[in-house]
Amino acid sequence: MHEIRATVAPEQVEQTVSFARAVGIERVAVSEIYLYGPDSSRRIVSVEASTPRAKAFLDAVLSSSVAKSDHFSVTSRELRALIDGGDVGELTQPMSEPHQDVLQDLWQLTHATASYWTRAAAGGLLLGTGIIDNNPVAIVVAALFLPFLSDVLAVAFGFWIRDSRLILRGIRAVIISSVLAFSGGAVAEWFSGDPISYTAFKGPLAGMAISAVIGVTAGLSNADDTGRRYLIGVAAAVQLAIIPAWLGAALIAGTLKQAALSERISGFAINLATILLTAFLSYAALDFRRTGQWRIPRSPGRE
């Protein structure tokens, strides 16, 4: 369930309300607000509805001339409950979230802040410790820190909406996470000095199958109100980060051979490409259209 609040000029209220009625939203609230400065009269058109209807309303607004106004703005909020006498089965349909919710969520999660670097570095160090001791608890705990999933999904979604800035942002985040995982494995082995006990690497086909499951599930859950994304993030982090962490540890331990290097790098590339492709196809399956009744809004700063 979502609340969509559109701030529009007074003469655009009737058109905006008609979009809500056209997608089956009967209850539409309109209120007047004052913005500082000249030409300050604005109206807020607010709807609260099931996620599919809220998405349809938002898509219609963003596709119209209303969104082209210099004074237009819109916010989207996820609601925990909505009691209005409607059918609870229809009201709680989770699929699928408004496009801008997915887009801005991925932008937010791929900011390379100090917190991001710290989480990725801590996760890489814990993961390095886990593969040296072959400790599944340490590996799972490390995966809770690692931000790999949002990085990969940003690339996949960027390809789907043809947003080169989001693609490059996601690629940069994947590189940062991979380098820090590699460094974490190297640092863990430097201080430990123990032989690497972890050997449970999958073959190419098995790795591809697991990655495909992760990619499909992650892509669907990323756009679904009910998705348990943190659990999928753990699986994605283990599938991707464990290889660079192992490479870093093996390099310091002096056990990294050419054959193993080629095998691990190709495995990482296969896993990454499979998650990207299947997540991309999941977004396509959720009907994030590039053409038709609505246009793709530009991401912040996009030319």
Side-chain angles (χ1 to χ4, degrees):
M1 297 165 287
H2 275 70
E3 177 193 15
I4 307 295
R5 293 165 58 96
T7 302
V8 301
E11 63 271 16
Q12 295 173 321
V13 169
E14 185 175 350
Q15 182 183 9
T16 306
V17 171
S18 70
F19 294 144
R21 296 289 174 81
V23 299
I25 301 175
E26 297 297 330
R27 300 179 62 178
V28 183
V30 179
S31 58
E32 183 177 5
I33 61 170
Y34 175 82
L35 300 177
Y36 180 79
D39 189 23
S40 57
S41 179
R42 297 288 181 274
R43 301 292 187 274
I44 292 180
V45 179
S46 174
V47 301
E48 296 173 339
S50 66
T51 299
R53 288 187 178 180
K55 177 181 182 297
F57 169 68
L58 182 57
D59 289 347
V61 172
L62 293 176
S63 302
S64 70
S65 58
V66 173
K68 298 177 182 178
S69 170
D70 293 336
H71 308 297
F72 169 80
S73 66
V74 66
T75 60
S76 173
R77 298 179 178 86
E78 187 174 346
L79 304 176
R80 293 294 302 276
L82 177 56
I83 303 171
D84 64 355
D87 179 69
V88 68
E90 187 277 334
L91 185 64
T92 55
Q93 291 183 38
M95 297 288 286
S96 62
E97 288 197 18
H99 162 270
Q100 281 292 320
D101 283 28
V102 180
L103 176 64
Q104 295 194 20
D105 184 51
L106 292 174
W107 268 86
Q108 182 178 24
L109 292 173
T110 50
H111 275 282
T113 61
S115 172
Y116 181 100
W117 282 80
T118 301
R119 286 187 294 112
L125 186 60
L126 287 171
L127 187 57
T129 302
I131 64 175
I132 291 171
D133 299 334
N134 195 21
N135 185 339
V137 175
I139 293 174
V140 172
V141 170
L144 294 172
F145 287 78
L146 294 164
F148 263 101
L149 181 61
S150 57
D151 305 343
V152 177
L153 290 179
V155 179
F157 196 68
F159 272 112
W160 176 243
I161 64 173
R162 298 176 182 175
D163 187 340
S164 59
R165 294 187 69 227
L166 183 59
I167 294 170
L168 293 175
R169 185 185 188 85
I171 291 173
R172 182 189 65 173
V174 169
I175 293 173
I176 291 173
S177 295
S178 301
V179 170
L180 290 177
F182 178 90
S183 302
V187 171
E189 178 60 31
W190 179 273
F191 282 100
S192 171
D194 296 331
I196 301 173
S197 302
Y198 183 86
T199 58
F201 289 104
K202 303 295 183 183
L205 291 179
M208 183 182 296
I210 295 172
S211 297
V213 172
I214 293 172
V216 169
T217 309
L220 294 175
S221 298
N222 186 237
D224 184 342
D225 293 345
T226 62
R228 297 296 184 259
R229 302 165 196 170
Y230 54 91
L231 296 177
I232 304 165
V234 170
V238 171
Q239 185 72 352
L240 292 173
I242 203 163
I243 294 178
W246 183 91
L247 289 172
L251 179 65
I252 298 301
T255 58
L256 185 59
K257 307 299 182 182
Q258 180 63 41
L261 176 62
S262 301
E263 182 180 352
R264 298 293 175 258
I265 291 178
S266 62
F268 179 80
I270 289 172
N271 292 341
L272 179 60
T274 302
I275 293 176
L276 279 172
L277 177 60
T278 50
F280 175 90
L281 295 175
S282 296
Y283 289 131
L286 288 173
D287 202 21
F288 285 112
R289 298 184 184 90
R290 286 192 291 258
T291 59
Q293 298 180 351
W294 66 294
R295 64 180 175 84
I296 298 292
R298 293 180 178 179
S299 56
R302 183 179 177 187
E303 298 298 332

